[in-house]
Amino acid sequence: MKGRILELNQSKKFAGRTYVKWVVLEIHNDPTKYNKNGISWKEEYIEKNLESAFSMPLAVEFLDYYKKDEPFGHGMSEIKDGTPLFEDSVAVGTTTNAYIDTVEINAEQKRVMVAEGYLYDQRYPKFVQWLKSKMFDGEMPETSVEICKKEENENIIYESGWKEEGRIPMDFDFSGVAILGIEPSDDTAILLELNNKINKEDIKNMPENQNTQLVSELNEKLETKVNEISELKSQLKDLTSSKDSEINEINQKLEKATSEFNEKIQEKTTELNSTIEELKEVNSKLEEKEKTIEVMEKEVSELRSFKEESTKKELQSELNSKLSTYTDSEKEIAKELIDKCEKEPTNELITQIVNEINSNIAKKIIEQRSKSTTHETNSVDDIYSDVIEVNNNETPDIEDLY
């Protein structure tokens, strides 16, 4: 596949320069597939040597040196000391960027190397105009990349060595791109591979009458294209005239619809602004309520804490009052409960402490009386003395025992 120019963009133009984008080469990644020169491009080696493509020249060998409008081939003049010279071509632009991408060419996805750059339209205005006209006619001009050995090497280095078909350039430099104007008679015009294997004997001389024939063919093609363009312009003029009334009617409808739309927008905007103001007012009231609630919650929390502290002190005072009637030894009986109640006093704990101390005191009194085996005989006068009956199944109150 020969390289193709993809885009010529006037909107990306700098002073004196016109943006251009083109396919440099097709990547094969398969040594059984190769171009007309027998070269099979591998993506990893393209990536490795991609930096050398930056700033490489876009060159043209003009068919007419004085007119400088239509390109021809690479413009190689001779090989001197193993290095090809291109004295018959001139640099009409430069490369600013190069990368690998997948693009659609002839309805087929291709993995390719793409380059971008600028043409010098102030210095070669006729050539840039020729390029635009070709692309306008759908005839995408072709390009041909040039590679050569690196400065430190004697030759281009190939994977698995050089071979006639399927050779894979591995270590090399991109040195330039030629924009072609005609189908080249030699495959080296499709992709020019530069290394020390090129000899003068490999360069074929062009027949003397070929230039005349080519000029004649190009003139015929140019005349045909000019006629086609004139016819298309005439058809376009007729079509434009017939569509003028329709366009005016559409414009009127569009203006009316635009006016109505703007009125509705204004109406909705007014309503929206009013709603926003109402929402702001509601939001302000909500913020005030939230602040009031926050203050009240804080007061309630403080009151709750004060109540809890007061209740705790009151219960502790009650506990101390009830315990004051007992001796230290009697209070020792419920020590664990007393300690617990002092930390977190409750009415239930106070009742439980008193009951446990009283129960233990009553138990000791009963045990002492049950041990007594001496019965006193009282006088008649004393027969009606107080008698305390103790039921073994019941525990008397401490008041009854005293």
Side-chain angles (χ1 to χ4, degrees):
M1 184 194 77
K2 289 169 282 189
R4 291 180 179 272
I5 292 181
L6 300 176
E7 182 181 355
L8 196 66
N9 195 329
Q10 199 74 12
S11 65
K12 297 183 180 181
K13 178 180 177 181
F14 290 105
R17 290 164 288 171
T18 297
Y19 171 85
V20 63
K21 176 179 177 182
W22 70 96
V23 171
V24 179
L25 53 86
E26 179 182 2
I27 297 172
H28 306 98
N29 288 327
D30 181 355
T32 63
K33 297 178 181 179
Y34 43 84
N35 60 25
K36 291 183 179 181
N37 278 0
I39 292 179
S40 179
W41 294 104
K42 203 169 184 178
E43 185 165 339
E44 65 175 291
Y45 300 138
I46 298 297
E47 188 73 39
K48 174 184 174 184
N49 299 287
L50 195 60
E51 186 179 0
S52 65
F54 289 73
S55 299
M56 68 178 174
L58 282 84
V60 169
E61 177 189 13
F62 287 112
L63 190 63
D64 188 323
Y65 181 80
Y66 296 100
K67 288 184 178 181
K68 297 179 181 179
D69 52 357
E70 297 184 32
F72 183 62
H74 281 271
M76 188 169 68
S77 56
E78 62 174 317
I79 298 176
K80 188 174 183 180
D81 299 328
T83 300
L85 302 178
F86 297 92
E87 296 174 308
D88 293 336
S89 68
V90 293
V92 297
T94 188
T95 306
T96 58
N97 189 23
Y99 52 90
I100 294 172
D101 197 3
T102 301
V103 300
E104 182 177 324
I105 298 176
N106 297 329
E108 185 178 355
Q109 295 293 322
K110 297 279 189 179
R111 192 67 176 164
V112 299
M113 172 182 167
V114 178
E116 298 175 89
Y118 288 92
L119 297 172
Y120 306 140
D121 55 22
Q122 282 184 330
R123 286 159 176 77
Y124 302 99
K126 294 178 181 178
F127 166 70
V128 174
Q129 187 59 42
W130 174 87
L131 205 57
K132 291 178 182 178
S133 66
K134 296 291 284 187
M135 296 179 73
F136 179 81
D137 292 339
E139 298 179 11
M140 308 305 285
E142 294 172 348
T143 65
S144 178
V145 67
E146 302 161 358
I147 65 172
C148 63
K149 67 181 182 66
K150 287 186 175 294
E151 188 68 28
E152 63 272 17
N153 299 332
E154 293 184 2
N155 294 296
I156 294 174
I157 298 175
Y158 299 89
E159 182 181 88
S160 303
W162 190 94
K163 51 187 174 181
E164 188 70 28
E165 295 179 338
R167 63 189 180 278
I168 304 172
M170 186 171 66
D171 198 18
F172 60 91
D173 277 341
F174 291 102
S175 62
V177 172
I179 301 176
L180 306 177
I182 60 172
E183 182 69 25
S185 60
D186 187 359
D187 283 346
T188 55
I190 297 174
L191 183 139
L192 187 61
E193 182 183 7
L194 310 177
N195 61 25
N196 291 343
K197 292 183 178 293
I198 301 176
N199 299 314
K200 290 184 179 179
E201 290 76 16
D202 296 328
I203 303 173
K204 298 180 180 179
N205 294 322
M206 183 182 294
E208 295 180 359
N209 63 342
Q210 188 169 1
N211 271 342
T212 303
Q213 181 182 353
L214 289 173
V215 171
S216 177
E217 291 176 358
L218 288 173
N219 285 335
E220 290 178 2
K221 288 182 179 180
L222 181 60
E223 185 177 355
T224 300
K225 291 300 178 182
V226 169
N227 291 335
E228 290 177 357
I229 291 171
S230 297
E231 184 177 353
L232 287 172
K233 286 182 177 179
S234 177
Q235 293 175 0
L236 180 62
K237 184 177 180 180
D238 294 340
L239 181 63
T240 301
S241 177
S242 65
K243 293 296 180 180
D244 279 345
S245 59
E246 295 180 14
I247 292 172
N248 289 332
E249 184 179 351
I250 291 172
N251 285 334
Q252 290 175 1
K253 290 181 179 179
L254 180 61
E255 288 178 3
K256 182 180 179 181
T258 301
S259 177
E260 293 175 354
F261 177 75
N262 289 335
E263 288 177 2
K264 289 182 179 180
I265 288 292
Q266 184 62 40
E267 181 182 346
K268 294 296 181 184
T269 301
T270 303
E271 293 177 3
L272 181 60
N273 289 336
S274 176
T275 303
I276 290 173
E277 291 301 321
E278 292 176 0
L279 288 174
K280 284 181 179 179
E281 185 177 352
V282 171
N283 187 55
S284 178
K285 291 181 180 180
L286 286 174
E287 288 178 353
E288 291 179 3
K289 294 292 184 184
E290 288 176 354
K291 289 179 181 179
T292 303
I293 291 171
E294 185 179 352
V295 171
M296 293 178 68
E297 286 179 344
K298 185 177 180 181
E299 292 177 353
V300 168
S301 178
E302 291 174 352
L303 289 171
R304 187 179 288 113
S305 298
F306 178 78
K307 180 183 178 182
E308 290 176 355
E309 189 67 26
S310 299
T311 303
K312 184 177 180 180
K313 288 180 179 179
E314 183 179 343
L315 289 172
Q316 285 177 341
S317 177
E318 182 180 348
L319 174 65
N320 293 333
S321 175
K322 288 185 179 292
L323 291 178
S324 64
T325 60
Y326 300 109
T327 66
D328 291 341
S329 60
E330 289 171 341
K331 288 188 283 187
E332 191 67 25
I333 294 167
K335 186 177 185 307
E336 290 184 3
L337 288 175
I338 291 171
D339 291 342
K340 183 177 180 182
C341 190
E342 285 178 346
K343 294 178 180 178
E344 295 294 334
T346 63
N347 287 316
E348 290 78 10
L349 272 175
I350 293 173
T351 301
Q352 187 178 353
I353 290 168
V354 171
N355 288 341
E356 186 169 335
I357 294 174
N358 289 342
S359 176
N360 190 68
I361 293 172
K363 183 178 178 182
K364 287 181 178 180
I365 293 173
I366 292 170
E367 287 177 352
Q368 288 176 359
R369 288 188 178 181
S370 64
K371 290 179 181 179
S372 177
T373 56
T374 305
H375 300 277
E376 296 181 1
T377 304
N378 298 318
S379 63
V380 175
D381 294 334
D382 298 328
I383 195 168
Y384 296 106
S385 299
D386 290 340
V387 177
I388 297 175
E389 294 181 358
V390 178
N391 190 329
N392 291 335
N393 294 327
E394 295 180 359
T395 302
D397 292 336
I398 190 66
E399 289 82 0
D400 295 335
L401 294 176
Y402 285 111

Coordinates of all heavy atoms in Angstrom, one line a residue, residues 198-249:
I198 N 22.1 -0.1 -2.7 CA 21.7 0.6 -3.9 C 22.9 0.9 -4.7 O 23.9 1.6 -4.3 CB 20.9 1.9 -3.6 CG1 19.7 1.5 -2.7 CG2 20.5 2.6 -4.8 CD1 18.8 2.7 -2.3
N199 N 22.8 0.6 -6.0 CA 23.9 0.9 -6.9 C 23.4 1.7 -8.1 O 22.2 1.8 -8.3 CB 24.5 -0.4 -7.5 CG 25.1 -1.3 -6.4 OD1 25.8 -0.8 -5.5 ND2 24.8 -2.6 -6.4
K200 N 24.3 2.4 -8.8 CA 23.9 3.2 -9.9 C 23.2 2.4 -11.0 O 22.3 2.8 -11.7 CB 25.1 3.9 -10.5 CG 25.6 5.0 -9.6 CD 26.8 5.7 -10.2 CE 27.3 6.8 -9.3 NZ 28.5 7.6 -10.0
E201 N 23.6 1.1 -11.1 CA 23.1 0.2 -12.1 C 21.6 0.0 -11.9 O 20.9 -0.4 -12.8 CB 23.8 -1.1 -12.2 CG 25.3 -1.0 -12.7 CD 26.2 -0.4 -11.7 OE1 25.8 -0.4 -10.5 OE2 27.3 0.0 -12.0
D202 N 21.1 0.1 -10.6 CA 19.7 -0.2 -10.3 C 18.8 1.0 -10.7 O 17.6 0.8 -10.6 CB 19.6 -0.4 -8.8 CG 20.4 -1.7 -8.4 OD1 20.5 -2.6 -9.2 OD2 20.9 -1.7 -7.2
I203 N 19.4 2.1 -11.0 CA 18.5 3.3 -11.4 C 18.3 3.3 -12.9 O 19.2 3.3 -13.7 CB 19.3 4.6 -11.0 CG1 19.6 4.6 -9.5 CG2 18.4 5.8 -11.3 CD1 20.4 5.7 -9.1
K204 N 17.0 3.2 -13.2 CA 16.6 3.2 -14.6 C 16.4 4.6 -15.2 O 15.8 5.4 -14.5 CB 15.3 2.4 -14.8 CG 15.4 1.0 -14.3 CD 14.1 0.2 -14.5 CE 14.2 -1.2 -14.1 NZ 13.0 -1.9 -14.2
N205 N 16.9 4.8 -16.3 CA 16.8 6.1 -17.0 C 15.4 6.2 -17.6 O 14.9 5.3 -18.2 CB 17.8 6.3 -18.1 CG 19.2 6.4 -17.4 OD1 19.4 7.0 -16.4 ND2 20.2 5.8 -18.1
M206 N 14.8 7.4 -17.4 CA 13.5 7.6 -18.0 C 13.6 7.9 -19.5 O 14.5 8.6 -19.9 CB 12.8 8.8 -17.3 CG 11.4 9.1 -17.8 SD 10.7 10.5 -16.9 CE 10.7 9.9 -15.3
P207 N 12.7 7.3 -20.3 CA 12.7 7.6 -21.8 C 12.6 9.1 -22.1 O 11.9 9.8 -21.3 CB 11.6 6.8 -22.3 CG 11.3 5.7 -21.3 CD 11.7 6.3 -20.0
E208 N 13.2 9.5 -23.2 CA 13.2 11.0 -23.5 C 11.8 11.5 -23.8 O 11.5 12.6 -23.4 CB 14.1 11.2 -24.7 CG 15.6 11.0 -24.4 CD 16.4 11.2 -25.6 OE1 15.9 11.6 -26.6 OE2 17.7 11.1 -25.5
N209 N 11.0 10.7 -24.4 CA 9.7 11.2 -24.7 C 8.6 11.0 -23.6 O 7.5 11.3 -23.8 CB 9.2 10.4 -26.0 CG 9.0 8.9 -25.7 OD1 9.5 8.4 -24.8 ND2 8.2 8.3 -26.6
Q210 N 9.1 10.5 -22.5 CA 8.1 10.2 -21.4 C 7.6 11.5 -20.8 O 6.4 11.6 -20.5 CB 8.7 9.4 -20.3 CG 7.7 8.9 -19.3 CD 8.3 7.9 -18.3 OE1 9.4 7.5 -18.4 NE2 7.4 7.4 -17.4
N211 N 8.4 12.5 -20.7 CA 8.0 13.8 -20.1 C 6.9 14.4 -21.0 O 5.8 14.9 -20.4 CB 9.1 14.8 -20.0 CG 9.8 14.7 -18.7 OD1 9.3 14.1 -17.7 ND2 11.1 15.2 -18.6
T212 N 7.0 14.4 -22.3 CA 6.0 15.0 -23.2 C 4.7 14.2 -23.1 O 3.7 14.8 -23.0 CB 6.6 14.9 -24.7 OG1 7.8 15.6 -24.7 CG2 5.6 15.6 -25.6
Q213 N 4.8 12.9 -23.1 CA 3.6 12.1 -23.0 C 2.9 12.3 -21.7 O 1.7 12.5 -21.6 CB 4.0 10.6 -23.1 CG 2.8 9.7 -23.0 CD 3.2 8.2 -23.1 OE1 4.4 7.9 -23.3 NE2 2.3 7.3 -22.9
L214 N 3.6 12.4 -20.6 CA 3.0 12.7 -19.3 C 2.3 14.0 -19.2 O 1.2 14.2 -18.7 CB 4.1 12.6 -18.2 CG 4.6 11.2 -17.9 CD1 5.8 11.3 -16.9 CD2 3.5 10.3 -17.3
V215 N 3.0 15.1 -19.8 CA 2.4 16.4 -19.8 C 1.1 16.4 -20.6 O 0.1 17.0 -20.2 CB 3.4 17.4 -20.4 CG1 2.7 18.7 -20.6 CG2 4.6 17.6 -19.4
S216 N 1.1 15.7 -21.7 CA -0.1 15.6 -22.5 C -1.3 14.9 -21.8 O -2.4 15.4 -21.8 CB 0.2 14.8 -23.8 OG -1.0 14.7 -24.6
E217 N -0.9 13.8 -21.1 CA -1.9 13.1 -20.4 C -2.5 13.9 -19.2 O -3.7 14.0 -19.0 CB -1.3 11.8 -19.8 CG -1.0 10.7 -20.9 CD -0.4 9.5 -20.3 OE1 -0.1 9.5 -19.1 OE2 -0.1 8.6 -21.0
L218 N -1.6 14.6 -18.6 CA -2.0 15.5 -17.4 C -2.9 16.6 -17.9 O -3.9 17.0 -17.3 CB -0.8 16.0 -16.7 CG 0.0 15.0 -15.8 CD1 1.2 15.6 -15.3 CD2 -0.9 14.5 -14.7
N219 N -2.6 17.2 -19.1 CA -3.4 18.3 -19.6 C -4.8 17.8 -20.0 O -5.8 18.5 -19.8 CB -2.7 18.9 -20.9 CG -1.5 19.8 -20.5 OD1 -1.5 20.3 -19.4 ND2 -0.6 19.9 -21.4
E220 N -4.9 16.6 -20.6 CA -6.2 16.0 -20.9 C -7.0 15.8 -19.6 O -8.2 16.1 -19.6 CB -6.0 14.7 -21.7 CG -5.5 14.9 -23.1 CD -5.3 13.5 -23.8 OE1 -5.6 12.5 -23.1 OE2 -4.8 13.5 -24.9
K221 N -6.3 15.3 -18.6 CA -7.1 15.0 -17.4 C -7.5 16.4 -16.7 O -8.6 16.5 -16.2 CB -6.2 14.3 -16.4 CG -5.9 12.8 -16.7 CD -5.0 12.2 -15.6 CE -4.8 10.7 -16.0 NZ -4.0 10.0 -14.9
L222 N -6.6 17.4 -16.8 CA -7.0 18.7 -16.2 C -8.1 19.3 -16.9 O -9.1 19.8 -16.3 CB -5.7 19.6 -16.3 CG -5.9 21.0 -15.7 CD1 -6.3 20.9 -14.3 CD2 -4.6 21.8 -16.0
E223 N -8.2 19.2 -18.3 CA -9.3 19.8 -19.1 C -10.6 19.1 -18.7 O -11.6 19.7 -18.6 CB -9.0 19.7 -20.6 CG -10.0 20.3 -21.4 CD -9.6 20.3 -22.9 OE1 -8.5 19.8 -23.2 OE2 -10.5 20.7 -23.7
T224 N -10.5 17.7 -18.6 CA -11.7 17.0 -18.3 C -12.3 17.4 -16.9 O -13.5 17.6 -16.7 CB -11.4 15.5 -18.2 OG1 -10.9 15.1 -19.5 CG2 -12.7 14.7 -17.9
K225 N -11.3 17.6 -15.9 CA -11.8 18.0 -14.6 C -12.3 19.4 -14.6 O -13.3 19.7 -13.9 CB -10.6 17.8 -13.6 CG -10.1 16.4 -13.4 CD -11.3 15.6 -12.7 CE -10.8 14.2 -12.5 NZ -12.0 13.4 -12.0
V226 N -11.7 20.3 -15.3 CA -12.2 21.6 -15.4 C -13.7 21.7 -15.9 O -14.5 22.4 -15.4 CB -11.3 22.5 -16.3 CG1 -12.0 23.9 -16.5 CG2 -10.0 22.7 -15.5
N227 N -13.9 20.9 -17.0 CA -15.3 20.8 -17.6 C -16.3 20.2 -16.6 O -17.4 20.7 -16.5 CB -15.2 19.9 -18.8 CG -14.5 20.6 -20.0 OD1 -14.4 21.8 -20.0 ND2 -14.0 19.8 -20.9
E228 N -15.8 19.2 -15.8 CA -16.7 18.6 -14.8 C -17.0 19.6 -13.7 O -18.2 19.7 -13.3 CB -16.0 17.3 -14.2 CG -15.9 16.2 -15.2 CD -15.2 15.0 -14.6 OE1 -14.7 15.1 -13.4 OE2 -15.1 13.9 -15.2
I229 N -16.0 20.4 -13.3 CA -16.2 21.4 -12.3 C -17.2 22.4 -12.8 O -18.1 22.9 -12.0 CB -14.9 22.0 -11.9 CG1 -14.1 20.9 -11.1 CG2 -15.1 23.2 -11.0 CD1 -12.6 21.4 -10.8
S230 N -17.1 22.9 -14.0 CA -17.9 23.9 -14.6 C -19.4 23.4 -14.6 O -20.3 24.2 -14.3 CB -17.5 24.3 -16.0 OG -16.2 24.9 -15.9
E231 N -19.5 22.2 -15.0 CA -20.9 21.6 -15.1 C -21.5 21.5 -13.7 O -22.7 21.8 -13.5 CB -20.8 20.2 -15.7 CG -22.2 19.6 -15.9 CD -22.1 18.2 -16.6 OE1 -21.0 17.9 -17.1 OE2 -23.2 17.6 -16.7
L232 N -20.7 21.1 -12.7 CA -21.2 21.0 -11.3 C -21.6 22.3 -10.8 O -22.6 22.5 -10.1 CB -20.1 20.3 -10.5 CG -19.9 18.8 -10.7 CD1 -18.7 18.3 -9.9 CD2 -21.2 18.0 -10.2
K233 N -20.8 23.4 -11.1 CA -21.1 24.7 -10.6 C -22.4 25.2 -11.2 O -23.2 25.9 -10.5 CB -19.9 25.7 -11.0 CG -18.7 25.5 -10.2 CD -17.6 26.5 -10.6 CE -16.4 26.4 -9.7 NZ -15.3 27.3 -10.1
S234 N -22.6 24.9 -12.5 CA -23.9 25.3 -13.1 C -25.1 24.6 -12.5 O -26.1 25.2 -12.2 CB -23.8 24.9 -14.6 OG -25.0 25.2 -15.3
Q235 N -24.9 23.3 -12.2 CA -26.0 22.6 -11.6 C -26.3 23.1 -10.2 O -27.4 23.2 -9.7 CB -25.7 21.1 -11.5 CG -25.6 20.4 -12.9 CD -25.2 19.0 -12.8 OE1 -24.9 18.5 -11.7 NE2 -25.1 18.3 -13.9
L236 N -25.2 23.5 -9.5 CA -25.3 24.0 -8.1 C -26.0 25.3 -8.2 O -26.8 25.6 -7.3 CB -23.9 24.1 -7.5 CG -23.8 24.7 -6.1 CD1 -24.6 23.8 -5.1 CD2 -22.4 24.9 -5.7
K237 N -25.7 26.2 -9.2 CA -26.4 27.5 -9.3 C -27.9 27.3 -9.5 O -28.7 28.0 -8.9 CB -25.8 28.3 -10.4 CG -26.3 29.7 -10.6 CD -25.6 30.4 -11.7 CE -26.1 31.8 -11.8 NZ -25.4 32.6 -12.9
D238 N -28.3 26.4 -10.4 CA -29.7 26.2 -10.6 C -30.4 25.6 -9.4 O -31.5 26.1 -9.1 CB -29.9 25.1 -11.8 CG -29.4 25.7 -13.1 OD1 -29.3 26.9 -13.2 OD2 -29.1 24.9 -14.0
L239 N -29.7 24.7 -8.7 CA -30.3 24.2 -7.5 C -30.5 25.2 -6.4 O -31.5 25.3 -5.7 CB -29.4 23.0 -7.0 CG -29.9 22.3 -5.7 CD1 -31.2 21.6 -6.0 CD2 -28.9 21.3 -5.3
T240 N -29.5 26.1 -6.3 CA -29.5 27.2 -5.3 C -30.7 28.1 -5.6 O -31.4 28.6 -4.7 CB -28.2 27.9 -5.3 OG1 -27.1 27.0 -5.1 CG2 -28.2 29.0 -4.3
S241 N -30.8 28.5 -6.9 CA -31.9 29.4 -7.3 C -33.3 28.8 -6.9 O -34.2 29.5 -6.4 CB -31.8 29.7 -8.8 OG -32.9 30.5 -9.2
S242 N -33.5 27.5 -7.2 CA -34.8 26.9 -7.0 C -35.1 26.7 -5.5 O -36.2 26.6 -5.1 CB -34.8 25.5 -7.6 OG -33.9 24.6 -7.0
K243 N -34.0 26.7 -4.7 CA -34.2 26.5 -3.3 C -34.3 27.8 -2.5 O -34.6 27.8 -1.3 CB -33.0 25.6 -2.7 CG -33.0 24.2 -3.2 CD -34.2 23.4 -2.8 CE -34.2 22.0 -3.3 NZ -35.4 21.2 -2.9
D244 N -34.0 28.9 -3.2 CA -34.0 30.2 -2.4 C -35.3 30.5 -1.7 O -35.4 30.9 -0.6 CB -33.7 31.4 -3.4 CG -32.2 31.5 -3.7 OD1 -31.5 30.9 -2.9 OD2 -31.8 32.1 -4.7
S245 N -36.5 30.3 -2.4 CA -37.8 30.6 -1.8 C -38.0 29.7 -0.6 O -38.6 30.1 0.4 CB -38.9 30.4 -2.9 OG -38.9 29.1 -3.4
E246 N -37.7 28.4 -0.8 CA -37.8 27.5 0.3 C -37.0 27.9 1.5 O -37.4 27.8 2.7 CB -37.5 26.0 -0.1 CG -38.4 25.5 -1.2 CD -38.0 24.1 -1.6 OE1 -37.2 23.5 -0.8 OE2 -38.5 23.6 -2.6
I247 N -35.8 28.3 1.2 CA -34.9 28.7 2.3 C -35.5 30.0 3.0 O -35.4 30.1 4.3 CB -33.5 29.1 1.8 CG1 -32.8 27.7 1.3 CG2 -32.6 29.7 2.8 CD1 -31.5 27.9 0.5
N248 N -36.0 30.9 2.2 CA -36.6 32.1 2.8 C -37.8 31.8 3.7 O -38.0 32.3 4.8 CB -37.1 33.1 1.8 CG -35.9 33.7 1.0 OD1 -34.8 33.9 1.6 ND2 -36.1 34.1 -0.2
E249 N -38.6 30.9 3.3 CA -39.8 30.4 4.0 C -39.4 29.7 5.3 O -39.9 30.0 6.4 CB -40.7 29.5 3.2 CG -41.9 29.0 3.9 CD -42.8 28.1 3.0 OE1 -42.4 28.0 1.8 OE2 -43.8 27.6 3.5

